[in-house]
Amino acid sequence: MFINTLSFSQDIPKKGKAIDSAVEDTIVVDIDTDKINGPEISEKSQDSTVTDSVKPKELLEHIVKYTATDYTRFNQKKQKLYLYNNAKIDYGDMNITAGSIIIDYNKNTVYAQGIKDSIEGYTQKPVFTQGSNVVEPDSIIFNTDTKKALIYNSITEQEGTVIASITKKENDSVYFIKEAKYTTAEDLEDPDYYIRLLKAKIVPGKKIVTGPAGLYIYDVPTPIWLPFSFFPQSEKHTSGIIIPTFGEQNNRGYFLQNGGYYFAINDYVDLAVLGDYYTNGSYGLRLESTYAKRYRFRGNLAFRYENLITSERGFPDYSRNTIYNLRWSHSQDSKANPSSRFSASVNLGSSTYYRSSINQINQGSNFLTNTLASSVSYSKTFQGEPQVNFSLTATHSQNTNTQTISMTLPTFQGSVGRMYPFASKTGSKKGIIQNVNLQYNVRGENRIQTTDSLFFKKEMFDDAKTGFQHSVPLNTNFKIFKHFSVSAGSSYNEVWTFKTIGKTYDALNRETVIDTINGFDSFRTYNFSTSIGTTVYGMFNFEKEGKDTWLKAIRHVMRPSVSYNINPAFDKYYETAEVVNADGLTAGELEVIQSTNNLEYTRFEQSIFGTPNRNFSSSMGISLANNFEAKVRDRDSTATEPKKIKLLNSLNFSTAYNFAADSLQWSPVRMNGSTLLFENQMSINFGATLDPYALDNNNVRINKFNIDNGGSLFRITSANLTASWSLSNKDKGKKKSGESNQASDNPEDVLPKNIDFANEQINRDNDEDKGSEKQENTKFYNHKIPWSLRLAYAINYANSRRQNEISSHSLMFSGDIDLTDKWSINVSSGYDIKNQGFTLTQLRFSRDLLSWKMDFSWVPFSDRSSWNFFIGIKSSILKDLKYEKRRQPDQQL
């Protein structure tokens, strides 16, 4: 838009007149000088570069450099310099580009404007740059002496866009504007919303302070007006207040949630202190910190505490509950130290935290969480021959249903790399002797088993168990008959423990008494193993001469292997419990007591690294791994080679035979396999356990084959099948190399996600890039409707004791569909076929409103039925300009 106050000089030649080639001039001028000395410059176009030296009255602050494509012209009478077409002027840190620039030496002003053309309109609008501040006005008048300027119809970026009709540049750091619009919309010609500023003061990079300001949506005023407003502007993190969310909770009254203060401590770490308050007296506190150092590490730490009050004091259902949660994530940059690494992933707290918390961020599907796990580890590698490694790890596992906690504080692991004592120093290792290798491993643990009620209390350490395990494996490998790979080895193990037990039998009370003995003790074991295996390839061709068949060939790959293991008996570590209070008992009665109560034991029964083997074991293991592939005719007629498809990714069988056992020598046959169907969109995994032995009338395994007992060759004791299917039309026809639509093997990928909108980070990070494929301009609206569907099916069968039942049977599904470029629907649910009930069902409706985002989530049924409506601005600087309404789950009586 070109306003009337901007007029073109009559001295500028019209198009069509002779215009010389581009000229680049450099002129040194004294802005305070009324008279220019030196050679006269012709009013005609200058064909060569001219440098004018001016004898100033005082030293110049900067040098003025200017260029123009069509011409530069100096009018000595008017003391004006005219630049036309792609004009550019540099003065210190100030830069102006425009279609036309006029420098008035008498008034010390620079006037810049665009070029008006009857065909293209107003083009080459000025761009004013000073430092990092960029302004794009219709025209500008700049005083080189005072550094002040008047800017008309300007557009400038200030963590958003400020569109002002008149801007007065006071100095390098202060601007005053009148009748301006502030928006984060992309379309600046017709923004979908803006905040109208009657007048404002801008300090670039620091703040915008305004007078009366009101919200407009598509130029329609809303009743939302403020007498004044403040917009912080900073390229760095800045401390400030975090505005809370207001709402109502059924049994705790009105609340303020997630409000507090953000501390920008420095460039490496920050801290957010947030709090919740409910009118019934409940409250919560959250501390969240993010830290990072480039090329070294990054991480975040969060602690959440809530004190929840239910009902009113004096009522029978009154209760007070305290819950907490600690999360820590730390990752080290790979460039920081290649020989050592530190990492952490911690999630611990109250077992009922996600089910009891009423903070909006924790609502959604988080209540389905039934396991909390943590791990903090440090590892170090010492290069050399041999290589030495060690690591320290602290782990934590917590079952939120049983409220049991298992911890290791810490676990130490060390190893000395593999050594080949008989290998030659040059050349490759060949033969059974040169391949002999050994290494040393040590593992130490301090293991703690406790409950949620004793967590972080001194009682949790009372039953801690500590021990070390040392192992030295000795192995070798070689080939026989060129096709069979043989490996053989032996392993020496030594276990140290600091607590052992002693057992006595109280014959009077008919009970076993266990005493704990503190002190160092140890046991040593060893074993021997060997295995032989090979790979067999089979090819079945179906092509016939003169006939083109669809199925070309099937390839079958088999990998059979046989292993043999010997585990000696270490019965020297076993003893018989002493029978006390045995006065009056005969030797025969004592023998009966010992045989019926199984009083033989080892003092290492409570060792964390197991017990020494009591019985001699000599067993053979048999396994067979298979996979099947096929060659078929490619649908692409231009393809010269058949297409390869996988029929079965794997089909594995394994069993074992114990030569030393007196009964039940065969182990059950375990079978498992997997495959992909429908162009890798459907993943299927299956497995079964086949027992060759029969059951007696009490459903106990007996030493008799099932087929000899009138049954089949094998008895299926358990079986499972999982299938996941992913369907989508989003990537059809445009799959890139290396990309795949392969279905996920994890059924949990279709489980419902947390779709609560209170957490702003979830809102920002989970938005999908939509509309990346632009629609062609046609007469009719043509929108391809993208959709995706993910299904997961799981069934488990149990028949170990003739129960012959389906132990679990479920179907889970989730999907989304984009009805238009702006509308999308997402649904996730499941059905428990065995118990005949739906699992958590969630629906989400999302609308992209250009600069705004609208979401509606709904849990239609279950005891957590609720809905949540959210509409707000996408930009993070105005994220608090939103409206949110939710319906809480019904009160449960």
Side-chain angles (χ1 to χ4, degrees), residues 161-199:
T161 304
V162 178
I163 306 172
S165 58
I166 301 178
T167 302
K168 179 183 178 182
K169 178 181 177 295
E170 187 67 21
N171 50 50
D172 292 346
S173 60
V174 177
Y175 291 78
F176 293 97
I177 60 177
K178 182 180 180 181
E179 282 297 335
K181 301 175 182 178
Y182 181 81
T183 182
T184 58
E186 295 181 2
D187 185 4
L188 301 180
E189 296 293 333
D190 184 22
D192 54 349
Y193 90 97
Y194 59 85
I195 298 175
R196 182 186 173 191
L197 312 176
L198 299 184
K199 57 182 179 179

Side-chain angles (χ1 to χ4, degrees), residues 501 503 514 574 600-607 610-611:
I501 65 167
K503 284 187 178 181
I514 300 176
Y574 286 81
E600 193 172 18
Y601 75 101
T602 176
R603 62 185 183 275
F604 301 102
E605 280 185 6
Q606 296 185 3
S607 169
T611 59

Side-chain angles (χ1 to χ4, degrees), residues 799-844:
N799 191 36
S800 58
R801 298 177 63 85
R802 288 200 183 102
Q803 62 265 45
N804 192 24
E805 66 173 4
I806 301 296
S807 56
S808 65
H809 196 190
S810 60
L811 173 67
M812 296 173 288
F813 58 89
S814 68
D816 57 81
I817 182 172
D818 296 339
L819 298 178
T820 67
D821 287 337
K822 307 299 182 184
W823 271 109
S824 65
I825 300 175
N826 179 281
V827 61
S828 60
S829 183
Y831 187 77
D832 189 333
I833 300 175
K834 178 184 178 182
N835 298 316
Q836 297 184 353
F838 280 95
T839 62
L840 179 69
T841 300
Q842 293 180 336
L843 292 93
R844 174 177 177 175

Side-chain angles (χ1 to χ4, degrees), residues 19-210:
I19 298 177
D20 292 341
S21 59
V23 178
E24 181 174 343
D25 291 350
T26 302
I27 184 169
V28 182
V29 297
D30 184 354
I31 301 303
D32 295 328
T33 305
D34 296 326
K35 183 176 180 180
I36 303 239
N37 299 319
E40 180 179 344
I41 301 177
S42 172
E43 294 186 6
K44 297 181 179 180
S45 301
Q46 305 300 310
D47 292 332
S48 60
T49 301
V50 178
T51 301
D52 290 347
S53 298
V54 181
K55 296 180 180 179
K57 294 180 179 178
E58 55 188 37
L59 292 177
L60 296 175
E61 184 178 357
H62 299 292
I63 295 176
V64 178
K65 295 181 180 180
Y66 62 88
T67 61
T69 300
D70 283 359
Y71 69 80
T72 61
R73 190 181 67 175
F74 182 70
N75 189 319
Q76 190 168 5
K77 182 179 179 180
K78 296 182 178 180
Q79 294 291 292
K80 291 183 179 181
L81 177 65
Y82 300 90
L83 310 177
Y84 188 79
N85 196 8
N86 293 325
K88 180 180 179 181
I89 183 171
D90 291 319
Y91 180 73
D93 65 342
M94 180 206 71
N95 172 269
I96 299 177
T97 60
S100 173
I101 297 178
I102 302 174
I103 303 176
D104 189 333
Y105 297 128
N106 288 326
K107 299 180 180 179
N108 300 329
T109 59
V110 177
Y111 176 53
Q113 61 184 13
I115 296 176
K116 190 174 185 180
D117 187 88
S118 59
I119 298 176
E120 298 180 2
Y122 192 53
T123 61
Q124 296 189 35
K125 294 182 179 181
V127 177
F128 176 81
T129 304
Q130 188 164 24
S132 61
N133 193 38
V134 180
V135 183
E136 299 180 18
D138 277 352
S139 62
I140 183 172
I141 301 175
F142 177 75
N143 189 299
T144 57
D145 186 17
T146 63
K147 303 292 182 67
K148 295 182 179 182
L150 284 178
I151 305 169
Y152 298 91
N153 293 334
S154 64
I155 299 176
T156 181
E157 293 289 335
Q158 296 290 339
E159 291 191 22
T161 304
V162 178
I163 306 172
S165 58
I166 301 178
T167 302
K168 179 183 178 182
K169 178 181 177 295
E170 187 67 21
N171 50 50
D172 292 346
S173 60
V174 177
Y175 291 78
F176 293 97
I177 60 177
K178 182 180 180 181
E179 282 297 335
K181 301 175 182 178
Y182 181 81
T183 182
T184 58
E186 295 181 2
D187 185 4
L188 301 180
E189 296 293 333
D190 184 22
D192 54 349
Y193 90 97
Y194 59 85
I195 298 175
R196 182 186 173 191
L197 312 176
L198 299 184
K199 57 182 179 179
K201 175 183 176 180
I202 299 177
V203 181
K206 292 185 178 180
K207 59 186 176 181
I208 299 178
V209 182
T210 78

Side-chain angles (χ1 to χ4, degrees), residues 194-253:
Y194 59 85
I195 298 175
R196 182 186 173 191
L197 312 176
L198 299 184
K199 57 182 179 179
K201 175 183 176 180
I202 299 177
V203 181
K206 292 185 178 180
K207 59 186 176 181
I208 299 178
V209 182
T210 78
L215 177 64
Y216 281 64
I217 299 178
Y218 280 113
D219 292 327
V220 178
T222 66
I224 303 175
W225 275 81
L226 295 174
F228 62 89
S229 57
F230 176 83
F231 298 89
Q233 308 284 311
S234 177
E235 297 178 358
K236 299 182 178 180
H237 294 292
T238 305
S239 301
I241 296 173
I242 300 175
I243 299 176
T245 300
F246 176 82
E248 183 184 5
Q249 213 273 340
N250 283 340
N251 54 0
R252 289 179 175 85

Side-chain angles (χ1 to χ4, degrees), residues 568-827:
F570 299 94
D571 49 6
K572 65 179 181 178
Y573 295 111
Y574 286 81
E575 52 192 299
T576 302
E578 179 186 359
V579 179
V580 297
N581 296 327
D583 296 340
L585 295 178
T586 64
E589 291 173 330
L590 284 174
E591 185 176 352
V592 171
I593 290 175
Q594 292 175 353
S595 61
T596 56
N597 292 280
N598 192 20
L599 297 183
E600 193 172 18
Y601 75 101
T602 176
R603 62 185 183 275
F604 301 102
E605 280 185 6
Q606 296 185 3
S607 169
I608 58 178
F609 294 111
T611 59
N613 188 36
R614 180 182 179 184
N615 300 314
F616 174 77
S617 172
S618 174
S619 62
M620 176 182 64
I622 304 172
S623 65
L624 177 64
N626 304 269
N627 68 57
F628 296 86
E629 292 181 342
K631 287 185 177 181
V632 298
R633 185 197 307 128
D634 199 319
R635 294 180 181 178
D636 186 359
S637 58
T638 61
T640 58
E641 296 292 333
K643 181 180 178 181
K644 293 182 180 180
I645 60 174
K646 292 184 178 182
L647 301 179
L648 280 175
N649 284 358
S650 63
L651 181 62
N652 307 320
F653 300 89
S654 64
T655 187
Y657 184 83
N658 190 348
F659 295 99
D662 56 359
S663 62
L664 302 174
Q665 293 174 304
W666 282 102
S667 298
V669 177
R670 290 176 172 82
M671 181 270 292
N672 63 77
S674 65
T675 187
L676 295 170
L677 302 176
F678 306 114
E679 298 183 353
N680 297 340
Q681 290 182 338
M682 186 175 186
S683 172
I684 297 178
N685 295 274
F686 54 89
T689 302
L690 311 174
D691 195 340
Y693 292 105
L695 298 176
D696 60 11
N697 293 333
N698 296 321
N699 296 325
V700 178
R701 292 178 74 205
I702 57 176
N703 191 31
K704 186 175 184 180
F705 290 117
N706 195 56
I707 193 172
D708 296 335
N709 199 39
S712 57
L713 179 61
F714 291 103
R715 211 170 29 85
I716 298 180
T717 58
S718 65
N720 64 82
L721 171 68
T722 61
S724 60
W725 197 353
S726 179
L727 298 173
S728 175
N729 72 339
K730 295 181 180 180
D731 299 322
K732 283 189 176 181
K734 56 177 182 180
K735 188 188 301 182
K736 299 179 181 179
S737 61
E739 294 182 353
S740 173
N741 288 337
Q742 181 171 330
S744 170
D745 291 335
N746 187 4
E748 293 186 0
D749 288 343
V750 301
L751 288 175
K753 303 296 188 292
N754 192 336
I755 55 176
D756 194 283
F757 314 116
N759 192 341
E760 197 65 34
Q761 186 175 356
I762 293 177
N763 258 353
R764 306 301 177 218
D765 296 343
N766 290 350
D767 287 341
E768 297 181 356
D769 295 331
K770 299 176 181 179
S772 57
E773 183 181 359
K774 295 182 179 179
Q775 300 288 340
E776 296 182 359
N777 293 326
T778 59
K779 289 184 178 180
F780 301 100
Y781 179 72
N782 181 19
H783 172 64
K784 178 183 177 182
I785 300 180
W787 58 269
S788 64
L789 177 64
R790 295 166 294 279
L791 299 170
Y793 174 78
I795 183 172
N796 289 278
Y797 171 76
N799 191 36
S800 58
R801 298 177 63 85
R802 288 200 183 102
Q803 62 265 45
N804 192 24
E805 66 173 4
I806 301 296
S807 56
S808 65
H809 196 190
S810 60
L811 173 67
M812 296 173 288
F813 58 89
S814 68
D816 57 81
I817 182 172
D818 296 339
L819 298 178
T820 67
D821 287 337
K822 307 299 182 184
W823 271 109
S824 65
I825 300 175
N826 179 281
V827 61

